[in-house]
Amino acid sequence: MQDKVIKIIAETLEIDPAEIKMESNLMSDLGLESLDLVDLVVAFEEELGTEIADQDIKTIQTVGDIVKYAETHQK
Amino acid sequence: MMKRLIRAGDFDLLVREGVDKYDLLRELFVSCGLDGVVLSKNAGGGLVADNNSVYVSVSDCGELAVAALSLAGPIGVDIQGGSARPRVARKFFSERELLLDFNLVWARKEAYAKWLGTGLTNASLAVDTCDLNFYEFNLADDGFDDYYIALFGNDTTTKTEGARIEDGGLPGSGTRDRMLED
């Protein structure tokens, strides 16, 4: 799951996967803007079958948070 | 470095290259004689004045920042440029929105969500912005071809018509009712 999440993030943000660590903060380390975040959420839905509810998005801060969320919510 | 002041309806909007959006907001406040207002963030992340005496919204994208204020009611502003996101458009854009520039529609959706005060949610993104009235501006004349600004407020009963755009410096304080020359 970790590799899949990193691959999706790298493709969406067009950055080197090696720059993406589990502890990377989406906003401060990876520089996500709101559109990037929405794009990522849709990508996770399409590619992992994981829907992230509105109220859960605010709790996701790091790449590791996404991996955990995907592992527990994957359909 | 690009810098423009836009006045339309009941709002003032300042867009500028190479500055922080909050610094830009302070600059806009000073230009309007409102530099004593204290701001805080609400639960949705929006900026709120201490006594609702002024309504503000800020946004940035790349090297451009925008700040807007109104004395009449809540506003939401957004600036967007860069590559289109087909996945996002497929999921959230209506058939009419799909016919428009991606960055324009996205700027509208963010501006609307800021006006609502909820931040981006599935519900706010599902709203067809073609059913709403926005002030909207393209920055092609300033060399930012694919950048759009959208502003939504209580009085956006017309679209771009009526906006006055001033090059360069700020107007004198206390002159926010003055109509600028074309």
PDB file of all heavy atoms in Angstrom, chain A residues 8 12-14 33-36 38-40 42-43 45-47 52-54 58, chain B residues 43 60-62 80 85 87-88 90-92 102 106 110 118 120-123 125:
ATOM      1  N   ILE A   8       1.116   7.265  -6.510  1.00  0.00           N
ATOM      2  CA  ILE A   8       0.014   8.180  -6.861  1.00  0.00           C
ATOM      3  C   ILE A   8       0.384   9.628  -6.528  1.00  0.00           C
ATOM      4  O   ILE A   8       0.149  10.547  -7.319  1.00  0.00           O
ATOM      5  CB  ILE A   8      -1.286   7.768  -6.123  1.00  0.00           C
ATOM      6  CG1 ILE A   8      -1.776   6.419  -6.664  1.00  0.00           C
ATOM      7  CG2 ILE A   8      -2.363   8.840  -6.293  1.00  0.00           C
ATOM      8  CD1 ILE A   8      -2.899   5.806  -5.836  1.00  0.00           C
ATOM      9  N   THR A  12       0.803  12.591  -9.279  1.00  0.00           N
ATOM     10  CA  THR A  12      -0.107  13.737  -9.198  1.00  0.00           C
ATOM     11  C   THR A  12       0.660  15.046  -9.048  1.00  0.00           C
ATOM     12  O   THR A  12       0.332  16.050  -9.684  1.00  0.00           O
ATOM     13  CB  THR A  12      -1.074  13.567  -8.007  1.00  0.00           C
ATOM     14  OG1 THR A  12      -1.806  12.355  -8.180  1.00  0.00           O
ATOM     15  CG2 THR A  12      -2.044  14.740  -7.915  1.00  0.00           C
ATOM     16  N   LEU A  13       1.692  15.026  -8.208  1.00  0.00           N
ATOM     17  CA  LEU A  13       2.448  16.255  -7.948  1.00  0.00           C
ATOM     18  C   LEU A  13       3.632  16.426  -8.893  1.00  0.00           C
ATOM     19  O   LEU A  13       4.315  17.460  -8.856  1.00  0.00           O
ATOM     20  CB  LEU A  13       2.955  16.262  -6.504  1.00  0.00           C
ATOM     21  CG  LEU A  13       1.902  16.175  -5.406  1.00  0.00           C
ATOM     22  CD1 LEU A  13       2.553  16.235  -4.036  1.00  0.00           C
ATOM     23  CD2 LEU A  13       0.892  17.302  -5.552  1.00  0.00           C
ATOM     24  N   GLU A  14       3.880  15.392  -9.707  1.00  0.00           N
ATOM     25  CA  GLU A  14       5.012  15.410 -10.643  1.00  0.00           C
ATOM     26  C   GLU A  14       6.320  15.661  -9.908  1.00  0.00           C
ATOM     27  O   GLU A  14       7.087  16.581 -10.232  1.00  0.00           O
ATOM     28  CB  GLU A  14       4.783  16.453 -11.746  1.00  0.00           C
ATOM     29  CG  GLU A  14       3.553  16.129 -12.599  1.00  0.00           C
ATOM     30  CD  GLU A  14       3.301  17.161 -13.684  1.00  0.00           C
ATOM     31  OE1 GLU A  14       3.894  18.247 -13.632  1.00  0.00           O
ATOM     32  OE2 GLU A  14       2.501  16.870 -14.600  1.00  0.00           O
ATOM     33  N   GLU A  33      -1.288  22.230  -2.577  1.00  0.00           N
ATOM     34  CA  GLU A  33      -2.317  23.253  -2.504  1.00  0.00           C
ATOM     35  C   GLU A  33      -3.667  22.550  -2.529  1.00  0.00           C
ATOM     36  O   GLU A  33      -3.734  21.334  -2.734  1.00  0.00           O
ATOM     37  CB  GLU A  33      -2.156  24.237  -3.665  1.00  0.00           C
ATOM     38  CG  GLU A  33      -0.834  24.984  -3.582  1.00  0.00           C
ATOM     39  CD  GLU A  33      -0.657  26.009  -4.688  1.00  0.00           C
ATOM     40  OE1 GLU A  33      -1.416  25.968  -5.665  1.00  0.00           O
ATOM     41  OE2 GLU A  33       0.260  26.841  -4.554  1.00  0.00           O
ATOM     42  N   SER A  34      -4.727  23.321  -2.362  1.00  0.00           N
ATOM     43  CA  SER A  34      -6.047  22.701  -2.231  1.00  0.00           C
ATOM     44  C   SER A  34      -6.418  21.865  -3.455  1.00  0.00           C
ATOM     45  O   SER A  34      -6.988  20.776  -3.330  1.00  0.00           O
ATOM     46  CB  SER A  34      -7.103  23.768  -1.978  1.00  0.00           C
ATOM     47  OG  SER A  34      -6.989  24.799  -2.933  1.00  0.00           O
ATOM     48  N   LEU A  35      -6.078  22.361  -4.645  1.00  0.00           N
ATOM     49  CA  LEU A  35      -6.397  21.600  -5.855  1.00  0.00           C
ATOM     50  C   LEU A  35      -5.614  20.292  -5.889  1.00  0.00           C
ATOM     51  O   LEU A  35      -6.145  19.252  -6.298  1.00  0.00           O
ATOM     52  CB  LEU A  35      -6.104  22.437  -7.104  1.00  0.00           C
ATOM     53  CG  LEU A  35      -6.297  21.736  -8.444  1.00  0.00           C
ATOM     54  CD1 LEU A  35      -7.704  21.159  -8.589  1.00  0.00           C
ATOM     55  CD2 LEU A  35      -6.009  22.703  -9.595  1.00  0.00           C
ATOM     56  N   ASP A  36      -4.354  20.323  -5.464  1.00  0.00           N
ATOM     57  CA  ASP A  36      -3.562  19.095  -5.411  1.00  0.00           C
ATOM     58  C   ASP A  36      -4.228  18.077  -4.493  1.00  0.00           C
ATOM     59  O   ASP A  36      -4.282  16.876  -4.798  1.00  0.00           O
ATOM     60  CB  ASP A  36      -2.154  19.382  -4.877  1.00  0.00           C
ATOM     61  CG  ASP A  36      -1.367  20.319  -5.771  1.00  0.00           C
ATOM     62  OD1 ASP A  36      -1.443  20.170  -7.000  1.00  0.00           O
ATOM     63  OD2 ASP A  36      -0.675  21.201  -5.234  1.00  0.00           O
ATOM     64  N   VAL A  38      -7.422  17.816  -3.624  1.00  0.00           N
ATOM     65  CA  VAL A  38      -8.638  17.260  -4.222  1.00  0.00           C
ATOM     66  C   VAL A  38      -8.267  16.267  -5.320  1.00  0.00           C
ATOM     67  O   VAL A  38      -8.865  15.184  -5.436  1.00  0.00           O
ATOM     68  CB  VAL A  38      -9.522  18.391  -4.793  1.00  0.00           C
ATOM     69  CG1 VAL A  38     -10.705  17.819  -5.575  1.00  0.00           C
ATOM     70  CG2 VAL A  38     -10.035  19.279  -3.666  1.00  0.00           C
ATOM     71  N   ASP A  39      -7.257  16.600  -6.120  1.00  0.00           N
ATOM     72  CA  ASP A  39      -6.804  15.700  -7.183  1.00  0.00           C
ATOM     73  C   ASP A  39      -6.340  14.366  -6.589  1.00  0.00           C
ATOM     74  O   ASP A  39      -6.640  13.288  -7.114  1.00  0.00           O
ATOM     75  CB  ASP A  39      -5.665  16.376  -7.959  1.00  0.00           C
ATOM     76  CG  ASP A  39      -5.485  15.799  -9.355  1.00  0.00           C
ATOM     77  OD1 ASP A  39      -6.285  14.926  -9.758  1.00  0.00           O
ATOM     78  OD2 ASP A  39      -4.543  16.211 -10.043  1.00  0.00           O
ATOM     79  N   LEU A  40      -5.606  14.460  -5.482  1.00  0.00           N
ATOM     80  CA  LEU A  40      -5.136  13.238  -4.814  1.00  0.00           C
ATOM     81  C   LEU A  40      -6.299  12.404  -4.294  1.00  0.00           C
ATOM     82  O   LEU A  40      -6.304  11.177  -4.431  1.00  0.00           O
ATOM     83  CB  LEU A  40      -4.227  13.599  -3.641  1.00  0.00           C
ATOM     84  CG  LEU A  40      -2.736  13.724  -3.900  1.00  0.00           C
ATOM     85  CD1 LEU A  40      -2.014  14.039  -2.602  1.00  0.00           C
ATOM     86  CD2 LEU A  40      -2.178  12.447  -4.509  1.00  0.00           C
ATOM     87  N   VAL A  42      -9.326  12.245  -5.386  1.00  0.00           N
ATOM     88  CA  VAL A  42     -10.000  11.584  -6.507  1.00  0.00           C
ATOM     89  C   VAL A  42      -9.136  10.425  -7.033  1.00  0.00           C
ATOM     90  O   VAL A  42      -9.643   9.351  -7.365  1.00  0.00           O
ATOM     91  CB  VAL A  42     -10.297  12.590  -7.645  1.00  0.00           C
ATOM     92  CG1 VAL A  42     -10.975  11.882  -8.818  1.00  0.00           C
ATOM     93  CG2 VAL A  42     -11.183  13.720  -7.141  1.00  0.00           C
ATOM     94  N   ALA A  43      -7.821  10.632  -7.068  1.00  0.00           N
ATOM     95  CA  ALA A  43      -6.922   9.568  -7.530  1.00  0.00           C
ATOM     96  C   ALA A  43      -6.999   8.347  -6.628  1.00  0.00           C
ATOM     97  O   ALA A  43      -7.029   7.206  -7.112  1.00  0.00           O
ATOM     98  CB  ALA A  43      -5.487  10.093  -7.582  1.00  0.00           C
ATOM     99  N   GLU A  45      -9.526   7.479  -4.837  1.00  0.00           N
ATOM    100  CA  GLU A  45     -10.821   6.842  -5.093  1.00  0.00           C
ATOM    101  C   GLU A  45     -10.757   5.965  -6.332  1.00  0.00           C
ATOM    102  O   GLU A  45     -11.232   4.833  -6.343  1.00  0.00           O
ATOM    103  CB  GLU A  45     -11.902   7.909  -5.284  1.00  0.00           C
ATOM    104  CG  GLU A  45     -12.291   8.631  -4.010  1.00  0.00           C
ATOM    105  CD  GLU A  45     -13.303   9.729  -4.252  1.00  0.00           C
ATOM    106  OE1 GLU A  45     -13.816   9.837  -5.398  1.00  0.00           O
ATOM    107  OE2 GLU A  45     -13.563  10.489  -3.314  1.00  0.00           O
ATOM    108  N   GLU A  46     -10.163   6.505  -7.392  1.00  0.00           N
ATOM    109  CA  GLU A  46     -10.149   5.781  -8.665  1.00  0.00           C
ATOM    110  C   GLU A  46      -9.176   4.604  -8.660  1.00  0.00           C
ATOM    111  O   GLU A  46      -9.467   3.548  -9.204  1.00  0.00           O
ATOM    112  CB  GLU A  46      -9.772   6.741  -9.803  1.00  0.00           C
ATOM    113  CG  GLU A  46     -10.851   7.774 -10.108  1.00  0.00           C
ATOM    114  CD  GLU A  46     -10.496   8.651 -11.304  1.00  0.00           C
ATOM    115  OE1 GLU A  46      -9.373   8.519 -11.850  1.00  0.00           O
ATOM    116  OE2 GLU A  46     -11.343   9.482 -11.692  1.00  0.00           O
ATOM    117  N   GLU A  47      -8.014   4.807  -8.048  1.00  0.00           N
ATOM    118  CA  GLU A  47      -6.967   3.792  -8.177  1.00  0.00           C
ATOM    119  C   GLU A  47      -6.894   2.819  -6.999  1.00  0.00           C
ATOM    120  O   GLU A  47      -6.400   1.709  -7.154  1.00  0.00           O
ATOM    121  CB  GLU A  47      -5.614   4.484  -8.388  1.00  0.00           C
ATOM    122  CG  GLU A  47      -5.613   5.293  -9.682  1.00  0.00           C
ATOM    123  CD  GLU A  47      -4.263   5.904 -10.001  1.00  0.00           C
ATOM    124  OE1 GLU A  47      -3.251   5.269  -9.677  1.00  0.00           O
ATOM    125  OE2 GLU A  47      -4.252   7.012 -10.557  1.00  0.00           O
ATOM    126  N   ILE A  52     -12.392   9.092   0.657  1.00  0.00           N
ATOM    127  CA  ILE A  52     -12.057   9.833   1.876  1.00  0.00           C
ATOM    128  C   ILE A  52     -13.167  10.831   2.151  1.00  0.00           C
ATOM    129  O   ILE A  52     -13.420  11.728   1.337  1.00  0.00           O
ATOM    130  CB  ILE A  52     -10.705  10.562   1.730  1.00  0.00           C
ATOM    131  CG1 ILE A  52      -9.599   9.552   1.361  1.00  0.00           C
ATOM    132  CG2 ILE A  52     -10.349  11.291   3.025  1.00  0.00           C
ATOM    133  CD1 ILE A  52      -8.234  10.183   1.135  1.00  0.00           C
ATOM    134  N   ALA A  53     -13.834  10.667   3.273  1.00  0.00           N
ATOM    135  CA  ALA A  53     -14.949  11.547   3.628  1.00  0.00           C
ATOM    136  C   ALA A  53     -14.442  12.955   3.954  1.00  0.00           C
ATOM    137  O   ALA A  53     -13.309  13.127   4.405  1.00  0.00           O
ATOM    138  CB  ALA A  53     -15.686  10.971   4.839  1.00  0.00           C
ATOM    139  N   ASP A  54     -15.316  13.940   3.730  1.00  0.00           N
ATOM    140  CA  ASP A  54     -14.938  15.336   3.974  1.00  0.00           C
ATOM    141  C   ASP A  54     -14.342  15.535   5.368  1.00  0.00           C
ATOM    142  O   ASP A  54     -13.310  16.182   5.538  1.00  0.00           O
ATOM    143  CB  ASP A  54     -16.162  16.253   3.838  1.00  0.00           C
ATOM    144  CG  ASP A  54     -16.599  16.426   2.400  1.00  0.00           C
ATOM    145  OD1 ASP A  54     -15.754  16.234   1.502  1.00  0.00           O
ATOM    146  OD2 ASP A  54     -17.769  16.737   2.177  1.00  0.00           O
ATOM    147  N   LYS A  58      -9.399  16.493   6.954  1.00  0.00           N
ATOM    148  CA  LYS A  58      -8.663  17.394   7.851  1.00  0.00           C
ATOM    149  C   LYS A  58      -7.756  16.642   8.815  1.00  0.00           C
ATOM    150  O   LYS A  58      -6.824  17.213   9.379  1.00  0.00           O
ATOM    151  CB  LYS A  58      -9.645  18.267   8.634  1.00  0.00           C
ATOM    152  CG  LYS A  58     -10.350  19.280   7.761  1.00  0.00           C
ATOM    153  CD  LYS A  58     -11.379  20.060   8.541  1.00  0.00           C
ATOM    154  CE  LYS A  58     -12.125  21.016   7.619  1.00  0.00           C
ATOM    155  NZ  LYS A  58     -13.270  21.665   8.291  1.00  0.00           N
TER     156      LYS A  58
ATOM    157  N   ALA B  43     -13.729  28.267  12.108  1.00  0.00           N
ATOM    158  CA  ALA B  43     -13.571  26.811  12.093  1.00  0.00           C
ATOM    159  C   ALA B  43     -13.290  26.275  10.693  1.00  0.00           C
ATOM    160  O   ALA B  43     -12.621  25.260  10.534  1.00  0.00           O
ATOM    161  CB  ALA B  43     -14.822  26.155  12.665  1.00  0.00           C
ATOM    162  N   ASP B  60      -3.518  32.390  -3.078  1.00  0.00           N
ATOM    163  CA  ASP B  60      -2.283  32.513  -3.861  1.00  0.00           C
ATOM    164  C   ASP B  60      -2.117  31.297  -4.750  1.00  0.00           C
ATOM    165  O   ASP B  60      -2.722  30.246  -4.522  1.00  0.00           O
ATOM    166  CB  ASP B  60      -1.053  32.716  -2.961  1.00  0.00           C
ATOM    167  CG  ASP B  60      -0.879  31.607  -1.949  1.00  0.00           C
ATOM    168  OD1 ASP B  60      -1.500  30.544  -2.090  1.00  0.00           O
ATOM    169  OD2 ASP B  60      -0.113  31.803  -0.995  1.00  0.00           O
ATOM    170  N   CYS B  61      -1.334  31.484  -5.782  1.00  0.00           N
ATOM    171  CA  CYS B  61      -1.057  30.404  -6.722  1.00  0.00           C
ATOM    172  C   CYS B  61       0.237  30.760  -7.434  1.00  0.00           C
ATOM    173  O   CYS B  61       0.325  31.821  -8.066  1.00  0.00           O
ATOM    174  CB  CYS B  61      -2.204  30.245  -7.724  1.00  0.00           C
ATOM    175  SG  CYS B  61      -2.001  28.838  -8.837  1.00  0.00           S
ATOM    176  N   GLY B  62       1.238  29.898  -7.310  1.00  0.00           N
ATOM    177  CA  GLY B  62       2.530  30.236  -7.890  1.00  0.00           C
ATOM    178  C   GLY B  62       3.073  31.506  -7.272  1.00  0.00           C
ATOM    179  O   GLY B  62       3.108  31.650  -6.058  1.00  0.00           O
ATOM    180  N   GLN B  80      -6.270  30.994  -9.676  1.00  0.00           N
ATOM    181  CA  GLN B  80      -5.835  29.665 -10.103  1.00  0.00           C
ATOM    182  C   GLN B  80      -5.173  29.729 -11.468  1.00  0.00           C
ATOM    183  O   GLN B  80      -5.659  30.396 -12.378  1.00  0.00           O
ATOM    184  CB  GLN B  80      -7.045  28.706 -10.156  1.00  0.00           C
ATOM    185  CG  GLN B  80      -6.680  27.268 -10.435  1.00  0.00           C
ATOM    186  CD  GLN B  80      -5.821  26.656  -9.335  1.00  0.00           C
ATOM    187  OE1 GLN B  80      -6.102  26.840  -8.159  1.00  0.00           O
ATOM    188  NE2 GLN B  80      -4.758  25.963  -9.698  1.00  0.00           N
ATOM    189  N   ARG B  85      -6.633  19.608 -14.358  1.00  0.00           N
ATOM    190  CA  ARG B  85      -6.661  18.298 -13.692  1.00  0.00           C
ATOM    191  C   ARG B  85      -7.883  17.536 -14.200  1.00  0.00           C
ATOM    192  O   ARG B  85      -8.987  17.699 -13.655  1.00  0.00           O
ATOM    193  CB  ARG B  85      -6.747  18.464 -12.175  1.00  0.00           C
ATOM    194  CG  ARG B  85      -5.712  19.408 -11.570  1.00  0.00           C
ATOM    195  CD  ARG B  85      -4.306  18.894 -11.716  1.00  0.00           C
ATOM    196  NE  ARG B  85      -3.377  19.862 -11.172  1.00  0.00           N
ATOM    197  CZ  ARG B  85      -2.860  19.794  -9.942  1.00  0.00           C
ATOM    198  NH1 ARG B  85      -3.182  18.797  -9.153  1.00  0.00           N
ATOM    199  NH2 ARG B  85      -2.020  20.720  -9.527  1.00  0.00           N
ATOM    200  N   ARG B  87      -8.943  14.519 -13.904  1.00  0.00           N
ATOM    201  CA  ARG B  87      -9.671  13.693 -12.925  1.00  0.00           C
ATOM    202  C   ARG B  87     -10.651  14.530 -12.122  1.00  0.00           C
ATOM    203  O   ARG B  87     -11.794  14.131 -11.889  1.00  0.00           O
ATOM    204  CB  ARG B  87      -8.669  13.074 -11.938  1.00  0.00           C
ATOM    205  CG  ARG B  87      -8.188  11.701 -12.280  1.00  0.00           C
ATOM    206  CD  ARG B  87      -7.430  11.094 -11.107  1.00  0.00           C
ATOM    207  NE  ARG B  87      -6.393  11.934 -10.599  1.00  0.00           N
ATOM    208  CZ  ARG B  87      -5.086  11.633 -10.608  1.00  0.00           C
ATOM    209  NH1 ARG B  87      -4.674  10.490 -11.109  1.00  0.00           N
ATOM    210  NH2 ARG B  87      -4.197  12.444 -10.105  1.00  0.00           N
ATOM    211  N   VAL B  88     -10.187  15.702 -11.696  1.00  0.00           N
ATOM    212  CA  VAL B  88     -11.023  16.590 -10.880  1.00  0.00           C
ATOM    213  C   VAL B  88     -12.205  17.091 -11.712  1.00  0.00           C
ATOM    214  O   VAL B  88     -13.345  17.119 -11.244  1.00  0.00           O
ATOM    215  CB  VAL B  88     -10.194  17.770 -10.348  1.00  0.00           C
ATOM    216  CG1 VAL B  88     -11.077  18.791  -9.637  1.00  0.00           C
ATOM    217  CG2 VAL B  88      -9.099  17.258  -9.413  1.00  0.00           C
ATOM    218  N   ARG B  90     -13.606  15.658 -14.320  1.00  0.00           N
ATOM    219  CA  ARG B  90     -14.550  14.553 -14.563  1.00  0.00           C
ATOM    220  C   ARG B  90     -15.465  14.338 -13.372  1.00  0.00           C
ATOM    221  O   ARG B  90     -16.651  14.077 -13.520  1.00  0.00           O
ATOM    222  CB  ARG B  90     -13.790  13.255 -14.836  1.00  0.00           C
ATOM    223  CG  ARG B  90     -13.308  13.063 -16.249  1.00  0.00           C
ATOM    224  CD  ARG B  90     -12.998  11.587 -16.529  1.00  0.00           C
ATOM    225  NE  ARG B  90     -12.083  10.994 -15.579  1.00  0.00           N
ATOM    226  CZ  ARG B  90     -10.750  11.045 -15.675  1.00  0.00           C
ATOM    227  NH1 ARG B  90     -10.204  11.671 -16.692  1.00  0.00           N
ATOM    228  NH2 ARG B  90      -9.982  10.465 -14.767  1.00  0.00           N
ATOM    229  N   LYS B  91     -14.918  14.462 -12.186  1.00  0.00           N
ATOM    230  CA  LYS B  91     -15.721  14.149 -10.989  1.00  0.00           C
ATOM    231  C   LYS B  91     -16.625  15.306 -10.559  1.00  0.00           C
ATOM    232  O   LYS B  91     -17.749  15.085 -10.133  1.00  0.00           O
ATOM    233  CB  LYS B  91     -14.801  13.762  -9.822  1.00  0.00           C
ATOM    234  CG  LYS B  91     -15.577  13.408  -8.556  1.00  0.00           C
ATOM    235  CD  LYS B  91     -14.693  12.819  -7.497  1.00  0.00           C
ATOM    236  CE  LYS B  91     -15.443  12.581  -6.181  1.00  0.00           C
ATOM    237  NZ  LYS B  91     -16.441  11.527  -6.270  1.00  0.00           N
ATOM    238  N   PHE B  92     -16.129  16.534 -10.694  1.00  0.00           N
ATOM    239  CA  PHE B  92     -16.860  17.640 -10.061  1.00  0.00           C
ATOM    240  C   PHE B  92     -17.437  18.676 -11.017  1.00  0.00           C
ATOM    241  O   PHE B  92     -18.207  19.526 -10.586  1.00  0.00           O
ATOM    242  CB  PHE B  92     -15.937  18.361  -9.070  1.00  0.00           C
ATOM    243  CG  PHE B  92     -15.563  17.534  -7.873  1.00  0.00           C
ATOM    244  CD1 PHE B  92     -14.267  17.082  -7.691  1.00  0.00           C
ATOM    245  CD2 PHE B  92     -16.520  17.187  -6.929  1.00  0.00           C
ATOM    246  CE1 PHE B  92     -13.924  16.317  -6.585  1.00  0.00           C
ATOM    247  CE2 PHE B  92     -16.186  16.423  -5.816  1.00  0.00           C
ATOM    248  CZ  PHE B  92     -14.883  15.987  -5.650  1.00  0.00           C
ATOM    249  N   PHE B 102     -10.491  25.232 -17.371  1.00  0.00           N
ATOM    250  CA  PHE B 102     -10.419  24.533 -16.078  1.00  0.00           C
ATOM    251  C   PHE B 102     -10.112  25.498 -14.935  1.00  0.00           C
ATOM    252  O   PHE B 102     -10.751  25.445 -13.875  1.00  0.00           O
ATOM    253  CB  PHE B 102      -9.342  23.435 -16.122  1.00  0.00           C
ATOM    254  CG  PHE B 102      -9.170  22.755 -14.792  1.00  0.00           C
ATOM    255  CD1 PHE B 102      -9.961  21.662 -14.451  1.00  0.00           C
ATOM    256  CD2 PHE B 102      -8.256  23.216 -13.865  1.00  0.00           C
ATOM    257  CE1 PHE B 102      -9.839  21.052 -13.208  1.00  0.00           C
ATOM    258  CE2 PHE B 102      -8.126  22.615 -12.612  1.00  0.00           C
ATOM    259  CZ  PHE B 102      -8.916  21.529 -12.291  1.00  0.00           C
ATOM    260  N   TRP B 106     -12.301  26.197 -11.572  1.00  0.00           N
ATOM    261  CA  TRP B 106     -11.770  25.853 -10.246  1.00  0.00           C
ATOM    262  C   TRP B 106     -11.708  27.090  -9.344  1.00  0.00           C
ATOM    263  O   TRP B 106     -12.030  27.025  -8.155  1.00  0.00           O
ATOM    264  CB  TRP B 106     -10.388  25.213 -10.347  1.00  0.00           C
ATOM    265  CG  TRP B 106      -9.942  24.750  -9.001  1.00  0.00           C
ATOM    266  CD1 TRP B 106      -9.041  25.339  -8.178  1.00  0.00           C
ATOM    267  CD2 TRP B 106     -10.464  23.622  -8.278  1.00  0.00           C
ATOM    268  NE1 TRP B 106      -8.956  24.652  -6.990  1.00  0.00           N
ATOM    269  CE2 TRP B 106      -9.817  23.599  -7.019  1.00  0.00           C
ATOM    270  CE3 TRP B 106     -11.425  22.654  -8.569  1.00  0.00           C
ATOM    271  CZ2 TRP B 106     -10.101  22.628  -6.065  1.00  0.00           C
ATOM    272  CZ3 TRP B 106     -11.699  21.685  -7.607  1.00  0.00           C
ATOM    273  CH2 TRP B 106     -11.030  21.684  -6.382  1.00  0.00           C
ATOM    274  N   GLU B 110     -13.587  27.376  -5.676  1.00  0.00           N
ATOM    275  CA  GLU B 110     -12.907  27.727  -4.424  1.00  0.00           C
ATOM    276  C   GLU B 110     -13.465  29.028  -3.848  1.00  0.00           C
ATOM    277  O   GLU B 110     -13.642  29.157  -2.628  1.00  0.00           O
ATOM    278  CB  GLU B 110     -11.402  27.866  -4.662  1.00  0.00           C
ATOM    279  CG  GLU B 110     -10.729  26.524  -4.921  1.00  0.00           C
ATOM    280  CD  GLU B 110      -9.504  26.313  -4.053  1.00  0.00           C
ATOM    281  OE1 GLU B 110      -9.572  26.645  -2.854  1.00  0.00           O
ATOM    282  OE2 GLU B 110      -8.505  25.827  -4.572  1.00  0.00           O
ATOM    283  N   THR B 118     -17.166  27.033   4.511  1.00  0.00           N
ATOM    284  CA  THR B 118     -17.028  25.615   4.870  1.00  0.00           C
ATOM    285  C   THR B 118     -15.704  25.023   4.417  1.00  0.00           C
ATOM    286  O   THR B 118     -15.348  23.920   4.831  1.00  0.00           O
ATOM    287  CB  THR B 118     -18.136  24.789   4.205  1.00  0.00           C
ATOM    288  OG1 THR B 118     -18.033  24.934   2.772  1.00  0.00           O
ATOM    289  CG2 THR B 118     -19.498  25.262   4.654  1.00  0.00           C
ATOM    290  N   LEU B 120     -13.492  23.499   1.090  1.00  0.00           N
ATOM    291  CA  LEU B 120     -13.909  22.611   0.008  1.00  0.00           C
ATOM    292  C   LEU B 120     -14.516  21.331   0.572  1.00  0.00           C
ATOM    293  O   LEU B 120     -13.911  20.667   1.405  1.00  0.00           O
ATOM    294  CB  LEU B 120     -12.712  22.252  -0.871  1.00  0.00           C
ATOM    295  CG  LEU B 120     -12.138  23.381  -1.716  1.00  0.00           C
ATOM    296  CD1 LEU B 120     -10.839  22.937  -2.376  1.00  0.00           C
ATOM    297  CD2 LEU B 120     -13.136  23.827  -2.782  1.00  0.00           C
ATOM    298  N   THR B 121     -15.717  21.013   0.123  1.00  0.00           N
ATOM    299  CA  THR B 121     -16.374  19.765   0.499  1.00  0.00           C
ATOM    300  C   THR B 121     -16.973  19.163  -0.759  1.00  0.00           C
ATOM    301  O   THR B 121     -17.095  19.836  -1.789  1.00  0.00           O
ATOM    302  CB  THR B 121     -17.519  20.000   1.500  1.00  0.00           C
ATOM    303  OG1 THR B 121     -18.513  20.820   0.844  1.00  0.00           O
ATOM    304  CG2 THR B 121     -17.034  20.707   2.756  1.00  0.00           C
ATOM    305  N   ASN B 122     -17.361  17.911  -0.682  1.00  0.00           N
ATOM    306  CA  ASN B 122     -18.013  17.287  -1.838  1.00  0.00           C
ATOM    307  C   ASN B 122     -19.256  18.075  -2.242  1.00  0.00           C
ATOM    308  O   ASN B 122     -19.552  18.223  -3.422  1.00  0.00           O
ATOM    309  CB  ASN B 122     -18.374  15.836  -1.514  1.00  0.00           C
ATOM    310  CG  ASN B 122     -17.172  14.912  -1.610  1.00  0.00           C
ATOM    311  OD1 ASN B 122     -16.592  14.747  -2.673  1.00  0.00           O
ATOM    312  ND2 ASN B 122     -16.783  14.331  -0.496  1.00  0.00           N
ATOM    313  N   ALA B 123     -19.986  18.581  -1.237  1.00  0.00           N
ATOM    314  CA  ALA B 123     -21.212  19.321  -1.539  1.00  0.00           C
ATOM    315  C   ALA B 123     -20.910  20.642  -2.238  1.00  0.00           C
ATOM    316  O   ALA B 123     -21.564  20.996  -3.226  1.00  0.00           O
ATOM    317  CB  ALA B 123     -21.985  19.575  -0.250  1.00  0.00           C
ATOM    318  N   LEU B 125     -18.257  21.440  -3.955  1.00  0.00           N
ATOM    319  CA  LEU B 125     -17.661  21.200  -5.271  1.00  0.00           C
ATOM    320  C   LEU B 125     -18.697  20.741  -6.293  1.00  0.00           C
ATOM    321  O   LEU B 125     -18.502  20.906  -7.495  1.00  0.00           O
ATOM    322  CB  LEU B 125     -16.551  20.142  -5.166  1.00  0.00           C
ATOM    323  CG  LEU B 125     -15.267  20.609  -4.489  1.00  0.00           C
ATOM    324  CD1 LEU B 125     -14.336  19.434  -4.203  1.00  0.00           C
ATOM    325  CD2 LEU B 125     -14.553  21.633  -5.359  1.00  0.00           C
TER     326      LEU B 125
END
